Amino acid sequence: MAELVSLAEGVAELVHDGDTVALEGFTHLIPVAAGQEIIRQGRRGLTLVRMTPDIVYDQLIGAGCAARLVFSWGGNPGVGSLHRFRDAVENAWPGPIEIEEHSHAGMANRYVAGASGLPFAVLRGYVGTDIAKHTTTVSTVTCPFTGEVLTAVAALNPDVAVIHAQRADRRGNVQMWGITGVQKEAVLAARRSLVTVEEIVDELDPRPDAVVLPGWVVSAVAHVPRGAHPSYAQGYYDRDNDYYQAWDPISRDREAFAKWLDEVTA
Amino acid sequence: MAELVSLAEGVAELVHDGDTVALEGFTHLIPVAAGQEIIRQGRRGLTLVRMTPDIVYDQLIGAGCAARLVFSWGGNPGVGSLHRFRDAVENAWPGPIEIEEHSHAGMANRYVAGASGLPFAVLRGYVGTDIAKHTTTVSTVTCPFTGEVLTAVAALNPDVAVIHAQRADRRGNVQMWGITGVQKEAVLAARRSLVTVEEIVDELDPRPDAVVLPGWVVSAVAHVPRGAHPSYAQGYYDRDNDYYQAWDPISRDREAFAKWLDEVTA
Amino acid sequence: MTWDADEIMTVTAARSLAGRTSCFVGIGLPSTAANLARRTSNPDLALIYESGAIGAKPTVLPLSIGDGELGETADAVVSVPEIFNYWLQPGRVDVGFLGAAQVDRLGNINTTVIGDYAAPAVRLPGAGGAPEIAASCRETIVIVRHRPRILVDRLAFVTSLGFGDGPGHRAALGLRGRGPIRLITDLGVLEPDPETCELTLASIHPGVTVDEVRAATGWPLAVRADLAVTAPPTPAELTALRSLTRGGSVA
Amino acid sequence: MTWDADEIMTVTAARSLAGRTSCFVGIGLPSTAANLARRTSNPDLALIYESGAIGAKPTVLPLSIGDGELGETADAVVSVPEIFNYWLQPGRVDVGFLGAAQVDRLGNINTTVIGDYAAPAVRLPGAGGAPEIAASCRETIVIVRHRPRILVDRLAFVTSLGFGDGPGHRAALGLRGRGPIRLITDLGVLEPDPETCELTLASIHPGVTVDEVRAATGWPLAVRADLAVTAPPTPAELTALRSLTRGGSVA
């Protein structure tokens, strides 16, 4: 059964220097508050995994938490580039960052393999592209029935997965609904997991399009209202599009970012 | 967009002699009425696919529709054996039946591969058992990253999938909820599909635990109230446990079965 | 309160789920015992059914593994592929609880066929979820009635692996689960010998003799030096069991 | 009504979705065009977003591929693995609609990097869903603004395959989809030559000259003998587009 903890406790217990950490959330329910707590606690040398690194990963990278990034699309959706990410890749600032990139289909299947206890997954993907040239986690496999050669991707099993959900009950059962992306797979693939939630309730009443993760597959749950801001939590608050716009000038400028970082870690 | 048809039209158009036909429904929402319509239309030489052949497959087999059965568990749940199935396997009555059997995990993954446009799926399964000795659709595959040897199962792509759902709208979008088994995969894996429904409605309002199949992946929808009887349709009617009990003596006896068959096809 | 052989079997099986987090529940006798455990030794036990119900809390005993009651009371309902791939396969379920048509001395299970595969004497239902439950749960517990034709020396067909040919066989095949840690019958409890993996008599139910158990076993049954007598069902256990099965027995 | 270059690009793109059943919608410009198609040429078009929304019917233009509006108005919302594995991969989607940072003369797309991969001049967002959209949809349509640095002769990095090295390359790789049947820009429409697969000018937008298009293209652009002039946007199309984008433009 998942432990109910504060966000600070959860990050302290579950996220360690050098860990492979997946913060997932596909546009919706991005665990931004948890990411900023990782910054606040000064984690270093993380391998950050995420299909769509956006503002929260720009912040983690700019703050120097990441040694490595595994991803499939890194941008500020609807706005443009992630400039802290680009500064790290293009200029090794604040330090060098190793990158391993995939397609969405590949990343999704890597999590599926991880969640399924398999060392790899099979897909039709990457063929004819230059992506596979720069990673060792894409290969091929031959169908034993037809002889067809297909693409294989290595399983992803992060040390810890961090997600944000709408609700949990007091026993740590977690419920999220709307666009739920790859979060179930990330939690089931990870050795440990931290879920931040908008609300702790007595009873999880059924909801359309809901995904429930039973408490016995979650390590800890922390009550963090607005923990997905500036992304959205369906039924709680909308996406703060202004924040995404406002992030662009902060991210573009090392000094503006340093000031932002001082405020967050103060 | 799915065509709205009568059950007789749907079966006539979509199910042909010699086809590979999957009627799916895991205890819940079993397309029994459609199965009996296949009997009524006198289809022959079918390869019948189903994870859990139960009463409806006992009826199809006893009626002589099947040349082959692909399955993972064949019984009258909570009651005992399927005697028409056993009579076919043990005594070739009313004709010989070829069988190909799997585990549930294997069958489920064969449908997943079929639905995913892949020729095979990978799982941890069958290892150390005698099941794989009697089929050519179980093999092995080696992980290109770890060298581990895993089980491979061949994709299942039926000519036609037949399922029962609670509702459809007038454009053929199908909605089912509760235990929805492997029906989505069966429809997406099949070349054609027929869905019988309890109700045709103007609007499919969202429901917890609902699976929606958009009309553009379904060939035809037929309005068949109580089309899952004696299994159940959550929200419409309960399982008719007496029917399952009453089937046992009918199934045990060729004459009693012949009488039942006369009544159904009358 | 008095009780019959099936009742002590089910009660004993339910007790062996104490302290577990999750149980993958096979059809039939295991379902009765697992549901009894939730009413007695382990109210928090997460019951997982191959139909896709996770954390089912049925108020009446389900007649099948896909009863509406299971889905309606579950913490989550997932697809059949998902229940096998995401929940069973990675080894995250503590106990697999299985029935069987036949079990051999090494805990291997047959639910496929009696006699020749191509020309069977009796055609059984087949594998269902059992092969992967037996392979992937951290441990398995098997529950059968104790008869010489059920507990057999050697199987003609292995549907689900126990200890295979003996020590080391599971590991050599790459299976992660420990295999059958207990076979519970209406006469007693068998457990694998730590050296040979052979199922040996660990406990007899009150009123049953070792000779009776031996006579009902299809191989020369070894008896553990520390043979125990099963604690009789308590009134609370029997009351819970009878209220559970009042709605109808499970085949 | 007057209109600007972006407007005729989007209107032209929306028109090319007429008669299709389903469209896998990439982020950015394709999303505007696909949503316009639902309001003009093809009200029944099923829009599929990589976030898992199938049959989305947003009332305002989504700013991202995972806006709440997409899920709330969709026929179904599925997981990200499912959208790629069950819906995109088997080739059941008619059209993939993609944007690009760069496209080459054979319709290959780069969204990864400008310059050397290890020491890039510009690091772009990366692949996202595009490589498999480009591989698995029955056909793809690409929409970009027409600039020499966008329509380039040869890519340093291929993120998503168009016609690869030319005729037969897709088939040799086992790809099932036909590849890019059309490249729509703010100056005109390019289509692959049936023999060479090279993108050639099939249509110019009203008021644009062939020389202007050539000057904006990074390779010696061939012009089709039957070069057409794009039909100007109708008032209905422009009204629909403007009501759609009033809420904010899409990057």
Side-chain angles (χ1 to χ4, degrees):
Chain A
M1 245 164 21
E3 211 185 340
L4 296 187
V5 298
S6 71
L7 176 56
E9 287 166 357
V11 168
E13 271 175 40
L14 296 169
V15 184
H16 314 134
D17 284 354
D19 271 357
T20 296
V21 186
L23 280 74
E24 281 295 350
F26 207 88
T27 307
H28 182 209
L29 295 172
I30 301 174
V32 179
Q36 295 180 352
E37 181 61 27
I38 292 171
I39 292 175
R40 222 171 277 125
Q41 295 196 14
R43 288 294 170 284
R44 288 294 175 269
L46 301 179
T47 291
L48 290 178
V49 182
R50 181 167 163 74
M51 290 183 63
T52 53
D54 42 23
I55 288 181
V56 63
Y57 269 37
D58 210 35
Q59 296 172 346
L60 282 155
I61 291 165
C65 303
R68 203 155 168 267
L69 178 68
V70 181
F71 74 108
S72 38
W73 190 89
N76 182 343
V79 179
S81 285
L82 296 177
H83 297 282
R84 294 299 89 225
F85 160 62
R86 284 182 55 179
D87 207 9
V89 174
E90 295 170 12
N91 311 306
W93 194 96
I97 190 163
E98 203 186 312
I99 60 169
E100 176 186 341
E101 66 186 299
H102 285 268
S103 67
H104 278 351
M107 282 290 282
N109 277 291
R110 297 187 67 194
Y111 279 123
V112 167
S116 303
L118 294 173
F120 74 106
V122 183
L123 74 157
R124 298 186 182 279
Y126 298 84
V127 173
T129 78
D130 290 324
I131 304 169
K133 293 179 185 163
H134 300 276
T135 170
T136 57
T137 53
V138 177
S139 185
T140 59
V141 67
T142 302
C143 174
F145 305 104
T146 64
E148 193 182 354
V149 177
L150 294 133
T151 301
V153 287
L156 257 175
N157 289 103
D159 294 307
V160 54
V162 181
I163 68 166
H164 186 76
Q166 279 102 334
R167 311 194 300 185
D169 66 19
R170 288 174 209 292
R171 304 176 51 205
N173 298 305
V174 169
Q175 187 187 44
M176 52 189 165
W177 62 86
I179 287 169
T180 53
V182 76
Q183 287 100 298
K184 178 191 276 191
E185 287 76 11
V187 167
L188 295 180
R191 286 167 193 90
R192 304 183 295 277
S193 54
L194 171 62
V195 183
T196 59
V197 295
E198 291 298 326
E199 243 189 308
I200 307 269
V201 297
D202 289 325
E203 199 68 43
L204 298 173
D205 55 301
R207 307 277 312 214
D209 291 330
V211 165
V212 171
L213 288 168
W216 56 274
V217 296
V218 172
S219 307
V221 171
H223 181 212
V224 186
R226 292 187 67 77
H229 175 267
S231 80
Y232 70 105
Q234 195 170 312
Y236 292 83
Y237 45 89
D238 290 335
R239 192 169 189 265
D240 182 355
N241 293 317
D242 292 343
Y243 186 109
Y244 284 82
Q245 298 282 351
W247 183 252
D248 192 66
I250 299 170
S251 175
R252 278 179 190 277
D253 183 73
R254 289 181 189 172
E255 275 180 46
F257 176 76
K259 194 162 156 269
W260 175 88
L261 190 58
D262 281 347
E263 281 162 22
V264 163
T265 53
Chain B
M1 244 163 22
E3 210 185 340
L4 296 188
V5 298
S6 71
L7 177 56
E9 287 166 355
V11 167
E13 272 175 40
L14 297 168
V15 184
H16 315 132
D17 284 354
D19 271 357
T20 296
V21 186
L23 281 74
E24 281 295 349
F26 207 86
T27 307
H28 182 210
L29 295 173
I30 301 174
V32 179
Q36 295 180 352
E37 181 61 26
I38 292 171
I39 293 175
R40 220 170 279 125
Q41 295 195 14
R43 288 294 169 286
R44 287 294 176 266
L46 302 179
T47 291
L48 290 178
V49 182
R50 180 166 164 74
M51 290 183 64
T52 53
D54 42 23
I55 288 181
V56 64
Y57 270 36
D58 209 34
Q59 295 172 347
L60 282 154
I61 292 166
C65 302
R68 202 155 169 268
L69 178 68
V70 181
F71 74 108
S72 39
W73 191 89
N76 182 342
V79 178
S81 285
L82 297 177
H83 297 282
R84 294 298 90 228
F85 161 61
R86 284 183 55 179
D87 207 9
V89 174
E90 296 169 12
N91 310 307
W93 193 95
I97 189 163
E98 203 186 312
I99 60 169
E100 176 186 341
E101 66 186 298
H102 286 268
S103 67
H104 278 351
M107 282 291 281
N109 277 293
R110 296 187 68 195
Y111 279 123
V112 167
S116 302
L118 294 174
F120 73 108
V122 183
L123 75 156
R124 298 184 181 281
Y126 299 83
V127 172
T129 78
D130 290 324
I131 305 168
K133 293 178 186 163
H134 300 275
T135 169
T136 58
T137 53
V138 177
S139 185
T140 60
V141 66
T142 302
C143 174
F145 305 104
T146 65
E148 193 182 354
V149 176
L150 294 134
T151 301
V153 287
L156 257 176
N157 289 104
D159 294 308
V160 55
V162 182
I163 68 167
H164 186 77
Q166 279 102 334
R167 312 194 300 184
D169 67 18
R170 287 174 209 292
R171 305 176 52 208
N173 298 305
V174 169
Q175 187 187 45
M176 53 188 164
W177 62 86
I179 288 169
T180 52
V182 76
Q183 287 99 300
K184 177 190 277 191
E185 287 77 12
V187 167
L188 294 181
R191 286 167 193 90
R192 304 183 294 277
S193 55
L194 171 63
V195 183
T196 60
V197 295
E198 291 296 326
E199 244 189 305
I200 307 269
V201 296
D202 289 325
E203 198 69 44
L204 297 173
D205 55 303
R207 305 277 312 212
D209 292 329
V211 165
V212 172
L213 288 169
W216 55 275
V217 295
V218 172
S219 308
V221 170
H223 181 209
V224 186
R226 293 187 67 77
H229 176 268
S231 80
Y232 69 105
Q234 195 170 311
Y236 292 82
Y237 46 89
D238 291 334
R239 192 169 188 267
D240 182 354
N241 294 316
D242 292 343
Y243 186 109
Y244 284 83
Q245 298 283 349
W247 183 252
D248 193 65
I250 300 170
S251 176
R252 277 178 190 277
D253 184 75
R254 289 181 189 172
E255 275 180 44
F257 176 77
K259 194 160 155 269
W260 175 87
L261 190 58
D262 281 347
E263 282 162 20
V264 162
T265 53
Chain C
M1 287 169 87
T2 59
W3 33 267
D4 67 20
D6 270 10
E7 286 177 329
I8 193 169
M9 168 174 70
T10 305
V11 163
T12 305
R15 286 176 191 159
S16 60
L17 294 172
R20 312 307 183 99
T21 297
S22 53
C23 177
F24 208 105
V25 186
I27 196 167
L29 297 171
S31 182
T32 312
N35 276 284
L36 180 60
R38 278 200 72 257
R39 282 163 175 76
T40 53
S41 65
N42 193 347
D44 288 334
L45 182 67
L47 302 186
I48 304 169
Y49 285 82
E50 62 196 18
S51 54
I54 300 172
K57 294 169 272 291
T59 55
V60 295
L61 196 60
L63 281 171
S64 79
I65 42 72
D67 274 22
E69 179 78 2
L70 295 175
E72 286 166 18
T73 62
D75 293 326
V77 179
V78 302
S79 74
V80 165
E82 179 176 328
I83 203 77
F84 285 104
N85 290 349
Y86 285 6
W87 298 87
L88 177 61
Q89 183 167 269
R92 64 179 96 248
V93 179
D94 284 344
V95 188
F97 213 156
L98 293 172
Q102 295 185 316
V103 191
D104 73 12
R105 65 204 290 170
L106 288 163
N108 302 301
I109 289 173
N110 173 23
T111 55
T112 302
V113 75
I114 309 283
D116 182 52
Y117 185 80
V122 183
R123 175 61 226 196
L124 300 166
E132 286 75 23
I133 297 173
S136 292
C137 288
R138 292 192 185 118
E139 301 177 333
T140 52
I141 296 174
V142 182
I143 178 167
V144 293
R145 294 195 181 89
H146 214 131
R147 309 285 179 272
R149 64 181 170 83
I150 296 179
L151 281 76
V152 299
D153 184 40
R154 231 189 132 73
L155 296 176
F157 192 101
V158 175
T159 312
S160 302
L161 202 72
F163 294 106
D165 298 334
H169 193 182
R170 289 182 67 90
L173 292 172
L175 301 182
R176 294 159 166 198
R178 279 180 60 199
I181 57 154
R182 195 164 297 142
L183 175 72
I184 296 165
T185 78
D186 50 354
L187 299 183
V189 177
L190 280 62
E191 289 180 1
D193 180 87
E195 300 291 310
T196 64
C197 296
E198 181 175 308
L199 291 171
T200 59
L201 188 62
S203 168
I204 49 173
H205 297 333
V208 175
T209 67
V210 169
D211 283 349
E212 284 175 86
V213 183
R214 281 197 166 127
T217 306
W219 68 86
L221 180 67
V223 178
R224 282 223 323 227
D226 59 347
L227 179 70
V229 176
T230 312
T234 66
E237 286 170 329
L238 287 172
T239 306
L241 174 58
R242 288 170 191 173
S243 105
L244 190 62
T245 53
R246 196 171 298 138
S249 66
V250 166
Chain D
M1 287 169 86
T2 59
W3 33 269
D4 67 21
D6 270 9
E7 285 177 330
I8 193 168
M9 169 173 69
T10 305
V11 163
T12 306
R15 285 176 190 158
S16 58
L17 293 172
R20 312 307 182 100
T21 297
S22 53
C23 175
F24 207 104
V25 186
I27 195 168
L29 297 171
S31 182
T32 311
N35 277 284
L36 179 60
R38 279 199 72 257
R39 282 165 176 74
T40 53
S41 64
N42 192 345
D44 288 333
L45 180 67
L47 303 186
I48 304 169
Y49 284 83
E50 63 196 18
S51 54
I54 301 172
K57 294 169 271 291
T59 55
V60 294
L61 195 61
L63 281 170
S64 78
I65 41 71
D67 274 22
E69 179 80 1
L70 296 175
E72 285 166 18
T73 62
D75 292 326
V77 179
V78 302
S79 73
V80 165
E82 178 176 328
I83 202 78
F84 285 104
N85 291 349
Y86 286 6
W87 298 86
L88 176 61
Q89 184 167 268
R92 62 178 97 250
V93 179
D94 283 345
V95 189
F97 211 157
L98 293 171
Q102 295 186 317
V103 191
D104 74 12
R105 65 204 290 170
L106 288 161
N108 303 300
I109 288 174
N110 173 23
T111 55
T112 301
V113 76
I114 310 284
D116 182 53
Y117 184 79
V122 184
R123 175 62 227 196
L124 300 166
E132 286 75 22
I133 297 173
S136 292
C137 288
R138 292 190 185 120
E139 301 177 334
T140 53
I141 296 173
V142 183
I143 177 167
V144 292
R145 294 196 180 89
H146 213 130
R147 309 284 180 273
R149 64 181 168 83
I150 295 179
L151 281 77
V152 299
D153 184 40
R154 227 188 136 74
L155 295 176
F157 192 102
V158 175
T159 312
S160 302
L161 202 73
F163 294 107
D165 299 334
H169 193 181
R170 289 182 67 90
L173 292 172
L175 301 182
R176 293 159 167 198
R178 279 180 61 199
I181 57 153
R182 194 164 297 141
L183 175 71
I184 296 165
T185 78
D186 49 355
L187 299 183
V189 177
L190 280 63
E191 288 181 1
D193 180 89
E195 300 292 309
T196 64
C197 296
E198 182 175 307
L199 291 171
T200 58
L201 189 62
S203 167
I204 48 173
H205 298 333
V208 176
T209 67
V210 169
D211 283 348
E212 284 174 86
V213 183
R214 282 196 165 127
T217 305
W219 68 85
L221 181 67
V223 177
R224 285 231 311 236
D226 59 348
L227 179 70
V229 175
T230 312
T234 65
E237 286 170 329
L238 286 172
T239 304
L241 174 59
R242 288 169 191 173
S243 104
L244 189 62
T245 54
R246 197 172 295 139
S249 66
V250 166

